């Protein structure tokens, strides 16, 4: 059992393969706690050979001794939550006694989904490319101080009725010709509340007790740093703090509780939805990465945009999150390429840029500056030690570490849990010792 509480989060634009890394580390922790996002996240797992996608519940739920937490920073669509719980039950996995949900978490209402779709349509060409799950509008209501929380569904009925009525009226004023009735929504919330009641608790208090008893907690991020509402490629971001700051606000734990931060990055780069992706590839090479990396969204099935590894992005993530190490995933996807590229900066109209800019206009017309290295013909797939990697792949990883300013403690060489290198001299090995 680990003695250190760690955060595991995405260092690029999401879909870095956090799921596999979290699964692999989970046996070393008592508790896995999600701190932000909602069912926009998707994490594919295989249970008894059957494919299953978890969106809200940490995959730690598949490990019988682990307690899973959904923090106050998460936005919850009760129907999506129940669907996941029911599917787990069908596979013989019960969440009872092992799933705790923050009573302060906000709820995604059916009309949040509608508003998400409407808002995207209104933006036209400037659309974000959201997952249409109502995530943004739910966080808007939270920040606008009119959101409905889990505890509101469990307490004073008259107060809830008033809140729902107010919210629905406000929504009807926004959406032309809308005459949504508050009553069915109110009834649905009451029913959902009753089902959630056994899991709802003060998760901050629970975590404080766990940590006091010396039990280790893993804080699991969804989406990623470049999709963070404050530090990502705004406005092409999600509406929560996916970077490390979200751990404290999204779970009610103090900064000192976080003993280590592990960033997860692919050996190349992908992104779903709109927004800048300076190293984006097109044509045969993009297709090659997409097919061999199976780069299709776990939540929406959308094809992911693919590009070379961008060290500007990962260096930025290392700074924002104070990354102690990287878990580098999908190295095997690059197997067989003649050359591999690492982006170290961008050539722009205003000169060379090596720090990720706040104003995305600085990236308009930017050309990535690449270091080209020889690829490798001997597969890395399935390697479990660095020495098993072909020399060219070892050189690629070493250079990537140098330009990103952070070491790769874990290297994933395939989707199976066994296809992983954990460097014995790394900080991660120390955490798990
Ligand atoms: P939203 O989170 O649905 O509002 O979408 C905002 C942006 O974040 C869009 O570009 C989405 O494609 C992206 N996004 C949201 N969740 C994920 C994820 O789990 N992986 C990758 N991208 C995501």
């Amino acid at each position: 059992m680990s003695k250190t509480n760690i955060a595991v989060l995405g260092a690029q634009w999401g879909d870095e393969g956090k799921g596999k890394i979290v699964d692999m580390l989970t046996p070393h922790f008592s508790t896995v706690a999600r701190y932000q996002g909602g069912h926009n996240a998707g994490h594919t797992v295989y249970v008894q050979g059957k494919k299953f996608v978890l969106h809200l519940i940490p995959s730690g739920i598949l490990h019988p001794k682990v307690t899973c937490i959904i923090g106050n920073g998460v936005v919850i669509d009760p129907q999506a939550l129940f669907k996941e719980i029911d599917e787990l039950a069908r596979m013989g996995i019960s969440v009872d006694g092992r799933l705790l949900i923050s009573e302060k978490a906000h709820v995604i209402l059916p009309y949040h989904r509608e508003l998400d779709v409407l808002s995207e349509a209104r933006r036209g060409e400037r659309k974000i490319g959201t997952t249409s799950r109502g995530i943004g509008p739910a966080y808007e209501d939270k920040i606008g101080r009119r959101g409905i929380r889990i505890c509101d569904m469990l307490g004073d009925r008259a107060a809830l009725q008033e809140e729902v009525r107010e919210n629905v009226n406000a929504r009807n004023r926004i959406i032309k010709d809308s005459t949504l009735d508050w009553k069915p929504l109110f009834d649905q919330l009451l029913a959902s509340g009753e089902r959630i009641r056994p899991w709802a608790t003060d998760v901050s208090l629970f975590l404080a007790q766990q940590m006091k008893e010396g039990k280790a907690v893993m804080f699991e991020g969804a989406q990623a740093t470049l999709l963070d509402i404050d530090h990502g490629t705004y406005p092409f971001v999600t509406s929560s703090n996916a970077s490390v700051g979200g751990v404290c606000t999204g779970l009610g734990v103090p900064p000192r509780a976080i003993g280590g931060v592990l960033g997860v990055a692919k050996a190349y780069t992908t992104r779903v939805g709109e927004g800048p992706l300076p190293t984006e590839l097109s044509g045969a090479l993009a297709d090659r990465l997409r097919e061999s990396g199976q780069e299709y969204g776990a939540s929406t099935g959308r094809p992911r945009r693919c590009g070379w590894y961008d060290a500007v992005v990962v260096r930025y993530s290392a700074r924002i999150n104070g990354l102690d190490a990287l878990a580098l995933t999908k190295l095997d996807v690059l197997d067989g390429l003649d050359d591999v590229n690492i982006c170290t900066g961008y050539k722009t109209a205003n000169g060379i840029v090596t720090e990720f800019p706040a104003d995305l206009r600085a990236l308009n017309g930017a050309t990535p500056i690449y270091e080209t290295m020889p690829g490798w013909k001997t597969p890395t797939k399935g390697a479990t030690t660095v020495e098993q990697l072909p020399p060219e792949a070892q050189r690629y990883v070493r250079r990537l570490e140098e330009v990103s300013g952070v070491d790769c403690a874990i290297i994933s060489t395939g989707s199976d849990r066994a296809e992983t290198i954990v460097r014995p001299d790394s900080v991660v090995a120390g955490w798990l010792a």
Side-chain angles (χ1 to χ4, degrees):
M1 187 65 62
S2 166
K3 290 183 203 69
T4 312
N5 306 315
I6 67 162
V8 180
L9 47 83
Q12 296 162 320
W13 276 280
D15 309 312
E16 295 93 347
K18 292 183 289 293
K20 175 185 160 174
I21 304 300
V22 169
D23 283 343
M24 201 193 101
L25 298 175
T26 295
H28 298 275
F29 294 85
S30 307
T31 307
V32 180
R34 233 329 258 283
Y35 58 87
Q36 45 69 235
H39 66 310
N40 47 352
H43 167 196
T44 309
V45 284
Y46 290 87
V47 186
Q48 292 140 18
K50 269 202 208 150
K51 186 177 166 185
F52 185 59
V53 187
L54 288 166
H55 299 281
L56 270 169
I57 302 175
S59 60
I61 206 72
L62 305 176
H63 299 251
K65 291 196 187 119
V66 172
T67 303
C68 288
I69 291 186
I70 298 180
N72 59 279
V74 177
V75 282
I76 300 173
D77 178 332
Q79 305 316 315
L81 174 73
F82 299 152
K83 189 161 168 257
E84 247 173 84
I85 290 173
D86 292 344
E87 283 196 36
L88 283 169
R90 263 196 293 282
M91 290 176 176
I93 297 161
S94 166
V95 301
D96 287 329
R98 296 200 299 122
L99 176 67
L100 301 176
I101 299 177
S102 170
E103 38 189 23
K104 295 183 199 159
H106 282 247
V107 181
I108 300 179
L109 302 171
Y111 62 76
H112 286 139
R113 283 195 295 276
E114 229 177 295
L115 289 172
D116 196 350
V117 173
L118 273 175
S119 151
E120 285 282 89
R122 214 171 285 146
R123 289 180 72 100
E125 295 227 313
R126 289 172 46 255
K127 71 173 197 265
I128 310 290
T130 71
T131 59
S132 319
R133 301 286 198 270
I135 306 292
Y139 279 114
E140 279 176 43
D141 275 0
K142 172 178 175 173
I143 301 299
R145 296 164 293 187
R146 57 184 170 266
I148 292 175
R149 300 184 298 168
I150 298 289
C151 57
D152 301 326
M153 294 156 69
L154 308 176
D156 182 336
R157 284 183 175 217
L160 177 65
Q161 179 172 320
E162 193 50 38
E163 273 179 67
V164 174
R165 208 191 327 221
E166 272 291 307
N167 274 290
V168 168
N169 287 343
R171 174 204 162 279
N172 283 343
R173 282 193 295 272
I174 296 170
I175 304 177
K176 200 165 162 256
D177 302 327
S178 174
T179 52
L180 184 72
D181 183 3
W182 62 269
K183 182 71 171 65
L185 182 56
F186 172 65
D187 292 341
Q188 195 188 51
L189 283 174
L190 283 181
S192 298
E194 284 319 306
R195 192 160 176 206
I196 290 174
R197 192 182 291 278
W199 306 308
T201 192
D202 182 338
V203 304
S204 161
L205 185 60
F206 176 83
L207 285 168
Q209 281 160 350
Q210 290 275 296
M211 294 188 287
K212 203 168 163 195
E213 289 168 25
K215 294 185 178 153
V217 181
M218 178 164 32
F219 307 112
E220 182 185 346
Q223 291 86 45
T225 307
L226 274 289
L227 288 174
D228 182 287
I229 184 78
D230 283 283
H231 301 292
T233 45
Y234 191 91
F236 302 101
V237 290
T238 193
S239 301
S240 60
N241 284 116
S243 60
V244 75
V247 173
C248 297
T249 54
L251 285 162
V253 297
R256 273 194 292 268
I258 310 167
V261 188
L262 179 67
V264 187
K266 264 180 213 175
Y268 48 100
T269 311
T270 65
R271 138 162 241 178
V272 264
E274 309 304 316
L277 178 59
T279 62
E280 183 164 17
L281 292 165
S282 59
L285 196 48
D287 294 344
R288 153 78 172 70
L289 289 177
R290 187 172 308 111
E291 290 315 311
S292 46
Q294 276 306 294
E295 297 297 354
Y296 294 91
S299 281
T300 57
R302 289 180 292 176
R304 295 181 187 139
R305 298 155 66 195
C306 298
W308 292 117
Y309 184 87
D310 190 336
V312 180
V313 162
V314 178
R315 204 166 54 235
Y316 174 69
S317 281
R319 165 159 59 89
I320 296 285
N321 297 299
L323 296 185
D324 291 295
L326 274 186
L328 188 73
T329 58
K330 295 193 156 187
L331 182 63
D332 56 298
V333 172
L334 301 180
D335 287 356
L337 293 175
D338 292 331
D339 296 311
V340 283
N341 284 336
I342 297 178
C343 169
T344 57
Y346 315 123
K347 210 179 280 170
T348 72
N350 300 322
I352 288 174
V353 171
T354 55
E355 296 298 336
F356 204 85
D359 185 349
L360 303 185
R361 278 168 292 217
L363 292 176
N364 283 347
T367 324
I369 302 168
Y370 287 123
E371 283 189 14
T372 302
M373 303 180 71
W376 48 93
K377 298 294 170 191
T378 318
T380 65
K381 174 125 177 83
T384 53
T385 65
V386 170
E387 294 69 34
Q388 286 170 5
L389 297 176
E392 296 85 354
Q394 291 188 31
R395 275 198 288 277
Y396 177 70
V397 172
R398 211 172 305 130
R399 186 64 190 141
L400 180 153
E401 290 175 318
E402 282 167 7
V403 289
S404 309
V406 55
D407 288 345
C408 297
I410 297 177
I411 302 168
S412 168
T413 57
S415 50
D416 199 275
R417 204 180 286 176
E419 297 173 311
T420 313
I421 300 169
V422 181
R423 281 191 166 149
D425 54 346
S426 67
V427 61
V428 171
W431 291 338
L432 304 182

